[in-house]
Amino acid sequence: DSGVTQTPKHLITATGQRVTLRCSPRSGDLSVYWYQQSLDQGLQFLIQYYNGEERAKGNILERFSAQQFPDLHSELNLSSLELGDSALYFCASRGGTEPNYGYTFGSGTRLTVV
Amino acid sequence: EDQVTQSPEALRLQEGESSSLNCSYTVSGLRGLFWYRQDPGKGPEFLFTLYSAGEEKEKERLKATLTKKESFLHITAPKPEDSATYLCAVQFPSGNTPLVFGKGTRLSVIA
């Protein structure tokens, strides 16, 4: 157990629907990162939050949004889902800001859009 | 253009057959280079961080090295349990940039 908790582990939904993925970071970690992993693209950065504030944005689609709550858990909202959104979605947390603090990843949410 | 490139994409080794994985990056300078191991259907697991050219880190059968433009992950006398995808990630120097990952090397070690 890495200490980063993601729910649900699996999600199957239809095109056009909306889903919410949840992430609880390691205790004390202020930064949360969301990544998407598909077979051909590898891990793609979506968005980062630090202590409730958005800090960095990757190639996140406008249909996707996220937030980090006062208790530091984060949610990634995916709407108007398309078949191409099927992927593994990972959340990672980080304790410090210096490079030696590697990210700790959760076990991911596998999203299947049918 | 990919900023972080890993090679080979896949590698099949016999148990005990040592080899190296490569990670190259295009930007000048970096704040850190990270190696992760990922098992199928699981999240990446942190292995090493390297900061400067010439630095080396070891853990069991794995040894990571760093030059100015690339890093190597050397696997000595691998065992079947070393089979996994190995990911390289780079923290670039400018601003608050997140880790940029390569696509990984899928390693299979055959008994």
Side-chain angles (χ1 to χ4, degrees):
Chain A
D1 182 7
S2 69
V4 178
T5 303
Q6 288 190 249
T7 57
K9 291 192 183 304
H10 302 277
L11 202 47
I12 301 175
T13 189
T15 54
Q17 294 299 305
R18 172 189 169 94
V19 297
T20 298
L21 313 183
R22 182 187 169 102
C23 168
S24 294
R26 285 187 319 171
S27 178
D29 285 358
L30 301 179
S31 286
V32 168
Y33 303 80
W34 286 97
Y35 281 81
Q36 179 192 56
Q37 187 176 43
S38 55
L39 280 175
D40 57 343
Q41 290 298 318
L43 274 165
Q44 298 290 313
F45 170 69
L46 295 177
I47 197 163
Q48 177 205 354
Y49 280 84
Y50 178 83
N51 201 20
E53 294 187 2
E54 183 184 303
R55 275 295 180 92
K57 225 170 185 177
N59 294 325
I60 186 168
L61 299 171
E62 286 191 11
R63 301 182 286 109
F64 295 2
S65 65
Q67 54 185 327
Q68 186 178 29
F69 295 87
D71 67 352
L72 301 178
H73 92 271
S74 178
E75 293 181 357
L76 179 66
N77 300 297
L78 314 177
S79 61
S80 302
L81 285 167
E82 302 175 358
L83 295 177
D85 298 328
S86 296
L88 270 166
Y89 291 84
F90 287 104
C91 164
S93 72
R94 186 181 202 177
T97 56
E98 293 304 314
N100 57 312
Y101 289 90
Y103 297 3
T104 300
F105 281 83
S107 56
T109 293
R110 181 176 294 279
L111 173 66
T112 303
V113 182
V114 297
Chain B
E1 180 187 346
D2 287 344
Q3 296 177 295
V4 182
T5 304
Q6 291 189 247
S7 61
E9 289 185 16
L11 182 62
R12 186 182 173 100
L13 299 174
Q14 292 293 320
E15 184 173 3
E17 179 187 1
S18 301
S19 189
S20 297
L21 314 182
N22 177 263
C23 171
S24 62
Y25 50 94
T26 56
V27 75
S28 297
L30 75 168
R31 294 180 65 199
L33 185 139
F34 300 76
W35 282 98
Y36 284 83
R37 168 190 171 126
Q38 186 176 23
D39 292 301
K42 296 191 176 181
E45 177 187 345
F46 172 74
L47 293 173
F48 305 110
T49 308
L50 302 165
Y51 300 107
S52 55
E55 189 174 359
E56 299 182 352
K57 294 272 180 74
E58 283 190 69
K59 180 180 180 179
E60 296 180 357
R61 294 177 292 282
L62 300 177
K63 178 179 173 180
T65 62
L66 182 64
T67 70
K68 285 187 177 179
K69 285 295 184 185
E70 59 190 348
S71 177
F72 293 92
L73 185 65
H74 307 278
I75 303 177
T76 302
K79 299 181 177 181
E81 53 261 43
D82 295 321
S83 298
T85 296
Y86 290 86
L87 299 170
C88 164
V90 171
Q91 176 118 50
F92 291 113
S94 58
N96 180 37
T97 55
L99 292 186
V100 177
F101 282 82
K103 294 184 179 180
T105 293
R106 191 169 63 255
L107 174 66
S108 300
V109 182
I110 312 303

Coordinates of all heavy atoms in Angstrom, one line a residue, chain A residues 17-61:
Chain A
Q17 N -21.6 10.2 -20.8 CA -21.8 10.2 -19.3 C -20.8 11.0 -18.6 O -19.8 11.4 -19.2 CB -21.9 8.8 -18.7 CG -23.1 8.0 -19.2 CD -24.4 8.6 -18.8 OE1 -24.7 8.9 -17.6 NE2 -25.3 8.9 -19.8
R18 N -21.0 11.3 -17.3 CA -20.0 12.0 -16.5 C -19.6 11.1 -15.3 O -20.5 10.4 -14.7 CB -20.7 13.3 -16.0 CG -19.9 14.0 -14.9 CD -20.7 15.1 -14.3 NE -20.1 15.7 -13.2 CZ -19.4 16.8 -13.2 NH1 -19.1 17.5 -14.3 NH2 -18.9 17.3 -12.1
V19 N -18.3 11.1 -15.0 CA -17.9 10.3 -13.8 C -17.0 11.2 -12.9 O -16.4 12.2 -13.4 CB -17.1 9.1 -14.3 CG1 -18.0 8.1 -15.0 CG2 -15.9 9.4 -15.1
T20 N -16.8 10.7 -11.7 CA -15.9 11.4 -10.8 C -14.9 10.4 -10.2 O -15.4 9.4 -9.7 CB -16.7 12.1 -9.6 OG1 -17.5 13.1 -10.2 CG2 -15.7 12.7 -8.6
L21 N -13.6 10.7 -10.3 CA -12.6 9.8 -9.7 C -12.1 10.5 -8.5 O -11.9 11.8 -8.5 CB -11.5 9.6 -10.7 CG -11.9 9.3 -12.2 CD1 -10.6 9.0 -13.0 CD2 -12.8 8.1 -12.2
R22 N -11.8 9.7 -7.5 CA -11.4 10.3 -6.2 C -10.0 9.9 -5.8 O -9.6 8.7 -6.1 CB -12.4 9.9 -5.1 CG -12.1 10.5 -3.7 CD -13.0 9.9 -2.7 NE -12.6 10.3 -1.3 CZ -13.2 11.2 -0.6 NH1 -14.2 11.9 -1.1 NH2 -12.7 11.5 0.6
C23 N -9.3 10.8 -5.1 CA -7.9 10.5 -4.7 C -7.7 11.1 -3.3 O -7.9 12.2 -3.1 CB -6.9 11.1 -5.7 SG -5.2 11.1 -5.1
S24 N -7.2 10.2 -2.4 CA -6.7 10.7 -1.1 C -5.2 10.6 -1.1 O -4.6 9.5 -1.2 CB -7.3 9.9 0.0 OG -8.7 10.1 0.1
P25 N -4.5 11.7 -0.9 CA -3.0 11.6 -0.9 C -2.5 11.0 0.4 O -3.2 10.8 1.3 CB -2.6 13.1 -1.0 CG -3.7 13.9 -0.4 CD -5.0 13.1 -0.7
R26 N -1.2 10.8 0.4 CA -0.5 10.3 1.6 C -0.7 11.3 2.7 O -0.7 12.5 2.4 CB 1.0 10.1 1.4 CG 1.4 8.9 0.6 CD 2.9 8.7 0.6 NE 3.6 9.9 0.4 CZ 4.9 10.1 0.6 NH1 5.6 9.0 0.9 NH2 5.5 11.2 0.4
S27 N -0.7 10.9 3.9 CA -0.9 11.8 5.0 C 0.2 12.9 5.0 O 1.4 12.5 5.0 CB -0.9 11.0 6.3 OG -1.0 11.9 7.4
G28 N -0.2 14.1 5.0 CA 0.7 15.2 5.1 C 1.2 15.8 3.7 O 1.7 16.8 3.7
D29 N 0.9 15.0 2.6 CA 1.3 15.5 1.3 C 0.4 16.6 0.9 O -0.9 16.4 0.9 CB 1.4 14.4 0.3 CG 2.6 13.5 0.5 OD1 3.4 13.7 1.4 OD2 2.7 12.5 -0.3
L30 N 0.9 17.7 0.4 CA 0.0 18.8 0.0 C -0.2 18.8 -1.5 O -1.2 19.4 -2.0 CB 0.7 20.2 0.4 CG 1.0 20.3 1.9 CD1 1.6 21.7 2.1 CD2 -0.3 20.2 2.7
S31 N 0.7 18.2 -2.3 CA 0.6 18.2 -3.8 C -0.1 17.0 -4.2 O 0.2 15.9 -3.8 CB 1.9 18.3 -4.4 OG 2.5 19.6 -4.3
V32 N -1.0 17.2 -5.2 CA -1.7 16.1 -5.9 C -1.6 16.3 -7.4 O -1.8 17.4 -7.9 CB -3.2 16.0 -5.5 CG1 -3.9 15.0 -6.4 CG2 -3.4 15.6 -4.0
Y33 N -1.2 15.2 -8.1 CA -1.0 15.2 -9.5 C -2.0 14.2 -10.1 O -2.1 13.1 -9.6 CB 0.4 14.9 -9.9 CG 1.4 15.8 -9.3 CD1 1.9 15.6 -8.0 CD2 2.0 16.8 -10.0 CE1 2.8 16.4 -7.4 CE2 3.0 17.6 -9.5 CZ 3.4 17.4 -8.2 OH 4.4 18.2 -7.6
W34 N -2.6 14.5 -11.2 CA -3.4 13.6 -12.0 C -2.7 13.3 -13.3 O -2.3 14.2 -14.0 CB -4.8 14.1 -12.2 CG -5.7 14.1 -11.1 CD1 -5.9 15.1 -10.2 CD2 -6.4 13.0 -10.6 NE1 -6.8 14.8 -9.2 CE2 -7.1 13.4 -9.4 CE3 -6.6 11.7 -11.0 CZ2 -8.0 12.6 -8.7 CZ3 -7.5 10.8 -10.2 CH2 -8.1 11.3 -9.1
Y35 N -2.6 12.0 -13.6 CA -2.0 11.5 -14.9 C -3.0 10.5 -15.6 O -3.7 9.8 -14.9 CB -0.7 10.8 -14.7 CG 0.5 11.7 -14.4 CD1 0.7 12.2 -13.2 CD2 1.4 11.9 -15.5 CE1 1.8 13.0 -13.0 CE2 2.5 12.8 -15.3 CZ 2.7 13.3 -14.0 OH 3.8 14.1 -13.8
Q36 N -3.0 10.6 -16.9 CA -3.7 9.6 -17.7 C -2.7 8.7 -18.4 O -1.7 9.1 -18.9 CB -4.6 10.4 -18.8 CG -5.4 9.5 -19.7 CD -6.0 10.3 -20.8 OE1 -5.2 10.9 -21.6 NE2 -7.3 10.2 -21.0
Q37 N -3.0 7.4 -18.4 CA -2.1 6.4 -19.0 C -2.9 5.6 -20.0 O -3.8 4.8 -19.6 CB -1.4 5.5 -18.0 CG -0.4 4.6 -18.7 CD 0.4 3.8 -17.6 OE1 -0.2 3.3 -16.7 NE2 1.7 3.7 -17.8
S38 N -2.6 5.7 -21.3 CA -3.2 4.9 -22.3 C -2.1 4.1 -22.9 O -0.9 4.4 -22.8 CB -3.9 5.7 -23.4 OG -3.1 6.7 -23.9
L39 N -2.5 3.0 -23.7 CA -1.5 2.1 -24.2 C -0.4 2.7 -25.1 O 0.8 2.5 -25.0 CB -2.2 1.0 -25.0 CG -2.8 -0.1 -24.1 CD1 -3.5 -1.1 -24.9 CD2 -1.7 -0.8 -23.3
D40 N -0.9 3.7 -25.9 CA 0.1 4.2 -26.9 C 0.7 5.5 -26.5 O 1.7 6.0 -27.1 CB -0.6 4.4 -28.3 CG -1.9 5.3 -28.1 OD1 -2.4 5.4 -27.0 OD2 -2.4 5.8 -29.2
Q41 N 0.2 6.2 -25.4 CA 0.7 7.5 -25.1 C 1.5 7.5 -23.8 O 2.1 8.5 -23.5 CB -0.5 8.5 -24.9 CG -1.2 8.8 -26.2 CD -0.3 9.5 -27.1 OE1 0.5 10.4 -26.7 NE2 -0.3 9.2 -28.4
G42 N 1.5 6.5 -23.0 CA 2.2 6.5 -21.8 C 1.6 7.4 -20.8 O 0.4 7.8 -20.9
L43 N 2.3 7.8 -19.7 CA 1.7 8.6 -18.7 C 1.7 10.1 -19.1 O 2.7 10.7 -19.4 CB 2.5 8.5 -17.4 CG 2.2 7.4 -16.5 CD1 3.3 7.2 -15.5 CD2 0.9 7.7 -15.8
Q44 N 0.5 10.7 -19.2 CA 0.3 12.1 -19.6 C -0.2 12.9 -18.5 O -1.2 12.6 -17.9 CB -0.6 12.2 -20.8 CG -0.2 11.4 -22.1 CD 1.0 12.1 -22.7 OE1 1.0 13.3 -22.9 NE2 2.0 11.3 -23.0
F45 N 0.5 14.0 -18.2 CA 0.1 14.8 -17.1 C -1.1 15.6 -17.4 O -1.3 16.2 -18.5 CB 1.3 15.8 -16.8 CG 0.9 16.9 -15.8 CD1 0.7 16.6 -14.5 CD2 0.8 18.2 -16.3 CE1 0.4 17.7 -13.6 CE2 0.5 19.3 -15.4 CZ 0.2 19.0 -14.1
L46 N -2.0 15.6 -16.4 CA -3.3 16.4 -16.6 C -3.3 17.7 -15.8 O -3.5 18.7 -16.4 CB -4.5 15.5 -16.2 CG -4.7 14.2 -17.0 CD1 -5.9 13.4 -16.5 CD2 -5.0 14.6 -18.5
I47 N -3.1 17.6 -14.5 CA -3.3 18.7 -13.7 C -2.7 18.5 -12.3 O -2.6 17.4 -11.9 CB -4.8 19.1 -13.5 CG1 -5.0 20.6 -13.1 CG2 -5.5 18.1 -12.7 CD1 -6.4 21.1 -13.3
Q48 N -2.2 19.6 -11.7 CA -1.6 19.5 -10.3 C -2.3 20.5 -9.4 O -2.6 21.7 -9.8 CB -0.1 19.9 -10.4 CG 0.5 19.9 -9.0 CD 1.7 20.8 -8.9 OE1 2.2 21.3 -9.9 NE2 2.3 20.9 -7.7
Y49 N -2.5 20.1 -8.2 CA -3.0 21.0 -7.1 C -2.0 21.0 -5.9 O -1.4 20.0 -5.7 CB -4.4 20.5 -6.6 CG -5.5 21.0 -7.5 CD1 -5.8 20.2 -8.7 CD2 -6.2 22.2 -7.3 CE1 -6.8 20.7 -9.5 CE2 -7.2 22.6 -8.2 CZ -7.5 21.8 -9.3 OH -8.4 22.3 -10.1
Y50 N -1.9 22.1 -5.3 CA -1.1 22.3 -4.1 C -1.9 23.0 -3.1 O -2.3 24.1 -3.2 CB 0.2 23.0 -4.4 CG 1.1 23.2 -3.2 CD1 2.0 22.2 -2.8 CD2 1.0 24.4 -2.5 CE1 2.8 22.3 -1.7 CE2 1.8 24.5 -1.4 CZ 2.7 23.5 -1.0 OH 3.5 23.7 0.1
N51 N -2.2 22.3 -2.0 CA -2.9 22.8 -0.8 C -4.2 23.6 -1.3 O -4.5 24.7 -0.8 CB -2.0 23.8 -0.1 CG -2.4 24.0 1.4 OD1 -3.2 23.2 1.9 ND2 -2.0 25.0 2.0
G52 N -4.9 22.9 -2.2 CA -6.2 23.5 -2.6 C -6.2 24.4 -3.8 O -7.2 24.7 -4.3
E53 N -5.0 24.8 -4.3 CA -4.9 25.7 -5.4 C -4.3 24.9 -6.6 O -3.4 24.2 -6.5 CB -4.0 26.9 -5.1 CG -4.6 27.7 -4.0 CD -3.8 29.0 -3.8 OE1 -2.8 29.2 -4.6 OE2 -4.1 29.8 -2.9
E54 N -4.9 25.3 -7.8 CA -4.3 24.7 -9.1 C -2.9 25.3 -9.3 O -2.7 26.5 -9.2 CB -5.2 25.1 -10.2 CG -4.8 24.5 -11.5 CD -5.7 24.9 -12.7 OE1 -6.9 24.7 -12.6 OE2 -5.1 25.5 -13.7
R55 N -1.9 24.4 -9.6 CA -0.6 24.9 -9.7 C 0.0 24.7 -11.2 O 0.8 25.5 -11.6 CB 0.4 24.1 -8.8 CG 0.5 24.6 -7.4 CD 1.1 26.0 -7.4 NE 1.2 26.6 -6.1 CZ 2.3 26.4 -5.3 NH1 3.3 25.7 -5.7 NH2 2.3 27.0 -4.1
A56 N -0.5 23.7 -11.8 CA 0.0 23.4 -13.2 C -1.0 22.7 -14.0 O -1.8 21.9 -13.4 CB 1.3 22.7 -13.2
K57 N -1.1 22.9 -15.3 CA -2.1 22.3 -16.1 C -1.3 21.7 -17.3 O -0.5 22.3 -17.9 CB -3.1 23.3 -16.6 CG -4.5 22.9 -16.5 CD -5.4 24.0 -16.8 CE -6.9 23.6 -16.6 NZ -7.8 24.7 -16.8
G58 N -1.7 20.4 -17.7 CA -1.1 19.8 -18.9 C -2.1 19.9 -20.0 O -2.9 20.8 -20.0
N59 N -2.1 18.9 -20.8 CA -3.1 18.9 -22.0 C -4.4 18.3 -21.5 O -4.9 17.4 -22.1 CB -2.5 18.1 -23.1 CG -1.3 18.7 -23.7 OD1 -1.2 19.9 -23.8 ND2 -0.3 17.9 -24.1
I60 N -5.0 18.9 -20.5 CA -6.3 18.5 -20.0 C -7.4 19.0 -20.9 O -7.4 20.2 -21.2 CB -6.4 18.8 -18.5 CG1 -7.7 18.2 -17.9 CG2 -6.4 20.3 -18.3 CD1 -7.8 18.3 -16.4
L61 N -8.3 18.1 -21.2 CA -9.4 18.5 -22.1 C -10.4 19.4 -21.3 O -10.5 19.3 -20.1 CB -10.2 17.3 -22.6 CG -9.4 16.3 -23.4 CD1 -10.2 15.0 -23.6 CD2 -9.0 16.9 -24.7

